[in-house]
Amino acid sequence: MSANALAQVAFLTPATELESIADDITIGKDVLELITGAMYADPLSIYREYLQNAADAIDEARAAGLYKAGINPKVSIRIDREQRSVTITDTGIGVPNAEFVHRLTAIGGSRKRGAAYRGFRGVGRLSGLGYCQEVIFRSRSVGDKKVLEIHWDGRRLKEVLRDNAFRGGLPEAIRNVAKKATAPRSSHPPHFFEVELRKVARVKNDLLLNEETVRDYIAQVGPVGFHPEFSFGREIEASLSKHGIGASISIELNDGQGEIYRQHRDEFRVNDKQEDRVNGVEIFEIPGSDGGAAAVGWFVHHSYFGALPRRAGIGGIRARVGNLQIGGSDLFAPCFIEPRFNQWCSGEIHIISNRLIPNGRRDDFEYSTHYENLLAHLSPRLGGLMKICRERSELRQKLKTANLHVQKARHSLLALRARDAGPIARKVAQWQCEDALKDLERAGLGRVLSDAERELIGHEHARLAHDLRKAISRHSDRDPFRLISPRKREDVQEVVRLIFDRIGNRKKAEDLAKRILAAFR
Ligand SMILES: Nc1ncnc2c1ncn2[C@@H]1O[C@H](COP(=O)(O)OP(=O)(O)O)[C@@H](O)[C@H]1O
Ligand SMILES: [Mg+2]
């Protein structure tokens, strides 16, 4: 059909008239199930959601100048295994008494949307309900006398969801499940927010109450700072703060291990046998598609011995928004031509542009041209990293081979110098040494070696060649093959080498070789 004919068909089809809907719209209780149960694949995500809220509240308190009077921005997490409870308290802005009930019973409609906060979908705080019997929110804001509480009853929630006779919609369901109270006594700070999870479920080896697992998770995902033993941290933080990002929050866990830090260090373990150290950092900006910077990234360089172990928590190029990690360590792995190399590398991409939006599960970004632009800029950089990984592994292979040739040369020198070696054995040892030196010379070429490594190999070669000349000059052997006719000489030499290769006992080999030489004379 021609374009013209198409236009005619469109012209003939009457336009559908759209009207607004005046009828009531049902929002059923089942929405609660989606929010509290099905959102996140990893139960530990609930820690991230509460830390995201705390980080937003602390930013707001900072902006309001609340930290001038003695209180510090801080989050404390208390895990009580006996009571099976978790309490997360922050000294952020808190929620004013007057708005408390309304804000903490709302579903969606976060007032953060559009502002520079990390949350904005208005549901994250309910994620804990899927994993415990009761979630309590407790707070007050500056000027409030009372500390108010909302109790969300997880068991009641399950009953309501299961109850087929329940006719109410979402608001009725929430009224059934959430109750308000005033906290009895209060040694609480003048502004704070607290989440208490009671009777936490035993999921996946009880990981929600495992201090080590929780610490490890927060160290990777939480808005915590770099460890003092990571000396590149300061340089990275300085670059981030130029764009107003990367600020960290002090987070404590009651495990006696002190403040939680990100896991990068100057020195780290690659495996049981190998240690490595960071030898440099690369910090770069990724331009946005509408001018300005979309993100700031950093990679640390090291020896690239292989994949960094998962438990070290530093492998992979990771994304952060508001200094909280989005997705896992494999988020950008597909951008590597060989994805396995992602885990050989270590670095972060800190998002600046508010057009790059984490998805609801915070395991990736919403797909958009801005995200595409980010990936397009990131890909060549990851390609550069992959090239380094490949070259390093090639280099290690080269050095290993060179080392093997050195060993061979040394071994044949020993055979040459051996007191009991006969003239034929000495000749064979000399050839072997010369061959090894030729191989070593070849190994010293090649583009992956640095000048220093080439020089090192050159040095070793010169020393071995010198030792060889010296060892030869100690004997005034006449060439044992001189009486063989030149036509057959090479073949006989080949046979003799084979004999020395195969017969370990040099004395026996020498005797056999002697007899062969006699036969060919
Ligand atoms: N730690 C906190 N400090 C102050 N207010 C909080 C805190 N946690 C939650 N809130 C309030 O509850 C609201 C809903 O939180 P949440 O369900 O996580 O959604 P979102 O973070 O997307 O707004 C927040 O917008 C905020 O007003
Ligand atoms: Mg939130």
Side-chain angles (χ1 to χ4, degrees), residues 24-49:
D24 282 345
I25 291 178
T26 304
I27 300 175
K29 58 175 184 173
D30 314 272
V31 171
L32 278 177
E33 185 157 39
L34 297 176
I35 298 165
T36 57
M39 278 282 279
Y40 310 107
D42 181 0
L44 288 167
S45 306
I46 69 176
Y47 281 99
R48 184 195 56 214
E49 287 307 313

Side-chain angles (χ1 to χ4, degrees), residues 52-54 57 90 94-95 103 110-112 119-125 193:
Q52 174 261 303
N53 286 344
D90 68 71
V95 180
R103 274 205 222 163
S110 171
R111 61 184 192 100
K112 295 182 195 166
F120 61 86
R121 290 190 172 87
V123 294
R125 74 185 184 293
F193 191 98

Side-chain angles (χ1 to χ4, degrees), residues 346-364:
S346 180
E348 294 174 343
I349 309 298
H350 288 252
I351 305 300
I352 302 170
S353 164
N354 56 11
R355 288 163 182 263
L356 288 157
I357 302 168
N359 68 17
R361 289 179 308 278
R362 291 182 171 269
D363 60 5
D364 200 347

